[in-house]
C-alpha cells in the first residue's frame, strides 16, 4: 500500500494482464457465469444503492451493445466493463442498476469503508477506477493519431489498432506532481487558485512537461506558482506516494519538498494567493472556517495531514 492513505489507490483484484491477448477472450467471458460486468456511459458508472452507491456488478448476458474491456480477476470471479457508445444520449441504467454516478461521487460516499479496507468496497472501487480510466481513453482515441482512420479495439480493450498503418496505441496516463512544500521553520506552503471560492487552500500541483524529470517539475511549478525556491540537495524533494486521478487521465505523484527561499510572489494567473502556515495556525484557521482544505479522498489532503501529523478539521 501507499505510505499515504489514498482511497483511489485501494485495490484488490489481479489485472491478470497476461490474459488480454487470449483469442476471443471477451466473447468467451461474456458467456461465463463467473463473469461480472461494470457498465459505463461517458465515464459514469451504473450503480446500486442510494445512500452510498457503488458500481453495479451485472451478468453480461442481456446487456446492450458497446465496447467490452477486460479488467481482471479475483477469487474465482472475472471482471469486465461494458462501455456504452458515447453518442447515445441519456441511456437508461441497465437492468439490475439503480442509476448512474461519477467516480468522485462514489469515492466520497465510500471514503470510510475504503479507509477501513472493507470488502467488497475495495474490490469494487478498484475495478471502478480502472474502468473509468479506460473509458476516458477509449472515448478520446477512436481514431488513429497518425492517419485518422477509425481504430479497432484489441488486447481485451487495452489497445487500439489502426488497420491502415498497423500501429497500436495504448491507454495513456498524464503524470502530475503535487507537493507539500515545507520551510526550515516547519511551516507549510498552501496556495489559492484563481478559479476557487474564497478561503479554499491546497498544496501546489502541476503537470509534468515533455522531457522533464519529476524533481524538476516540482521545483518549476513551485517557483512559477508561488515564487518559492525548492532546494536541489539530496532529500529536498522526496516522493511520498501516488494516486490515480482519472479526470481525465492523471496520475498524481505526491512529494514533500524543502524550501530554501520562502518569499512568496504568486503568478496571479493560476494562483492568486499563497501563504505559509504554522501548524497551530492552519488548524485554527480550518477549525474556524476561515480556510477550507481539500476533500478527504485527495492526495492533497493526505500530504497536508501527513505534515500536520493528525487529521485536520473541515473539508471542501
Ligand atoms: Zn493509422
Amino acid at each position: 500500500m501507499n505510505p499515504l492513505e489514498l482511497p483511489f489507490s485501494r485495490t484488490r483484484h489481479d489485472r491478470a494482464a497476461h490474459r488480454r491477448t487470449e483469442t476471443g477472450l471477451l466473447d468467451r467471458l461474456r458467456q461465463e457465469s463467473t463473469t461480472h460486468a461494470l457498465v459505463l456511459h461517458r465515464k459514469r458508472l451504473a450503480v446500486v444503492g442510494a445512500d452510498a452507491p457503488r458500481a453495479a456488478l451485472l451478468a453480461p448476458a442481456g446487456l446492450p451493445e458497446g465496447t467490452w474491456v477486460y479488467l481482471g480477476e479475483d477469487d474465482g470471479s472475472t471482471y469486465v466493463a461494458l462501455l456504452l457508445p458515447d453518442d447515445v444520449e441519456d441511456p437508461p441504467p441497465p437492468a439490475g442498476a439503480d442509476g448512474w454516478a461519477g467516480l468522485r461521487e462514489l469515492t466520497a460516499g465510500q471514503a470510510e469503508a475504503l479507509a477501513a479496507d472493507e470488502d467488497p468496497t475495495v474490490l469494487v472501487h478498484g475495478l471502478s477506477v480502472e474502468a473509468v480510466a479506460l473509458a476516458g481513453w477509449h472515448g478520446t482515441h477512436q481514431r488513429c493519431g497518425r492517419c485518422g482512420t477509425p481504430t479497432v479495439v484489441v488486447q481485451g480493450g487495452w489497445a487500439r489498432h489502426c488497420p491502415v498503418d498497423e500501429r497500436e496505441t495504448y491507454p495513456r496516463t498524464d503524470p502530475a506532481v503535487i507537493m507539500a512544500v515545507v520551510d526550515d521553520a516547519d511551516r507549510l506552503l498552501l496556495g489559492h487558485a484563481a478559479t476557487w471560492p474564497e478561503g479554499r487552500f491546497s498544496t501546489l500541483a502541476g503537470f509534468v512537461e515533455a522531457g522533464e524529470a519529476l524533481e524538476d517539475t516540482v521545483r518549476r511549478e513551485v517557483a512559477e506558482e508561488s515564487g518559492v525556491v525548492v532546494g536541489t540537495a539530496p532529500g529536498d524533494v522526496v516522493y511520498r506516494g501516488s494516486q490515480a486521478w482519472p479526470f481525465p487521465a492523471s496520475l498524481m505523484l505526491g512529494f514533500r519538498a524543502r524550501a530554501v527561499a520562502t518569499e512568496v510572489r504568486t503568478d496571479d494567473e493560476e494562483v492568486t494567493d499563497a501563504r505559509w502556515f504554522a501548524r497551530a495556525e492552519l488548524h485554527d484557521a480550518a477549525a474556524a472556517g476561515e480556510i477550507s482544505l481539500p476533500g478527504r479522498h485527495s492526495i492533497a489532503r493526505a500530504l497536508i495531514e501527513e505534515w500536520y501529523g493528525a487529521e485536520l478539521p473541515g473539508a471542501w
Side-chain angles (χ1 to χ4, degrees):
M1 211 179 76
N2 267 289
L4 303 177
E5 297 284 321
L6 301 171
F8 276 89
S9 302
R10 303 244 178 201
T11 186
R12 198 185 81 187
H13 66 282
D14 178 358
R15 293 185 175 213
H18 61 278
R19 295 203 63 188
R20 294 173 190 164
T21 49
E22 285 179 25
T23 306
L25 175 69
L26 284 157
D27 288 341
R28 192 168 65 253
L29 290 176
R30 284 165 60 187
Q31 313 299 321
E32 293 179 359
S33 61
T34 50
T35 301
H36 308 278
L38 285 72
V39 180
L40 296 92
H41 177 248
R42 296 180 184 169
K43 299 186 71 175
R44 288 170 69 79
L45 288 142
V47 297
V48 288
D51 292 340
R54 70 165 190 246
L57 298 175
L58 302 169
L63 289 174
E65 288 300 305
T67 300
W68 291 86
V69 300
Y70 177 73
L71 298 178
E73 52 195 47
D74 182 72
D75 199 20
S77 289
T78 304
Y79 297 94
V80 299
L82 168 63
L83 316 179
L84 300 181
D86 278 1
D87 55 7
V88 175
E89 291 291 334
D90 298 324
D98 303 327
W100 301 99
L103 188 56
R104 287 175 201 260
E105 187 186 334
L106 297 188
T107 306
Q110 295 162 3
E112 275 183 38
L114 288 169
D117 224 6
E118 280 176 19
D119 278 326
T121 304
V122 170
L123 170 68
V124 177
H125 192 264
L127 292 165
S128 301
V129 175
E130 183 182 349
V132 166
L134 278 171
W137 176 71
H138 281 287
T140 53
H141 290 76
Q142 300 280 312
R143 289 175 178 274
C144 174
R146 182 179 289 163
C147 74
T149 302
T151 47
V152 179
V153 178
V154 294
Q155 294 186 28
W158 282 87
R160 297 186 71 103
H161 177 78
C162 173
V164 172
D165 54 21
E166 299 292 326
R167 176 171 174 263
E168 291 195 354
T169 55
Y170 297 90
R172 59 170 295 168
T173 298
D174 300 328
V177 298
I178 182 162
M179 43 274 171
V181 182
V182 178
D183 73 1
D184 287 345
D186 197 27
R187 296 180 303 169
L188 177 69
L189 179 69
L190 297 179
H192 171 81
T195 54
W196 289 350
E198 197 182 334
R200 183 180 283 195
F201 278 84
S202 185
T203 48
L204 303 180
F207 283 106
V208 180
E209 292 193 341
E212 187 173 49
L214 297 173
E215 293 82 355
D216 291 328
T217 312
V218 169
R219 283 186 277 268
R220 177 180 56 75
E221 285 287 344
V222 171
E224 284 175 5
E225 294 184 345
S226 72
V228 168
V229 180
V230 168
T232 55
D236 283 351
V237 177
V238 180
Y239 174 70
R240 297 303 306 145
S242 68
Q243 172 150 273
W245 199 248
F247 312 109
S250 299
L251 172 66
M252 304 302 297
L253 298 146
F255 291 86
R256 174 77 67 91
R258 175 174 168 262
V260 293
T262 59
E263 189 187 340
V264 170
R265 180 177 29 78
T266 57
D267 62 13
D268 285 334
E269 288 179 22
E270 269 187 89
V271 174
T272 50
D273 191 7
R275 297 183 203 168
W276 289 102
F277 291 91
R279 277 170 211 282
E281 190 186 354
L282 184 67
H283 176 276
D284 294 351
E290 292 161 16
I291 64 164
S292 68
L293 295 173
R296 297 192 185 281
H297 53 272
S298 65
I299 190 169
R301 182 83 183 199
L303 287 165
I304 292 168
E305 291 188 341
E306 187 191 44
W307 163 79
Y308 184 70
E311 285 194 12
L312 282 159
W316 300 348

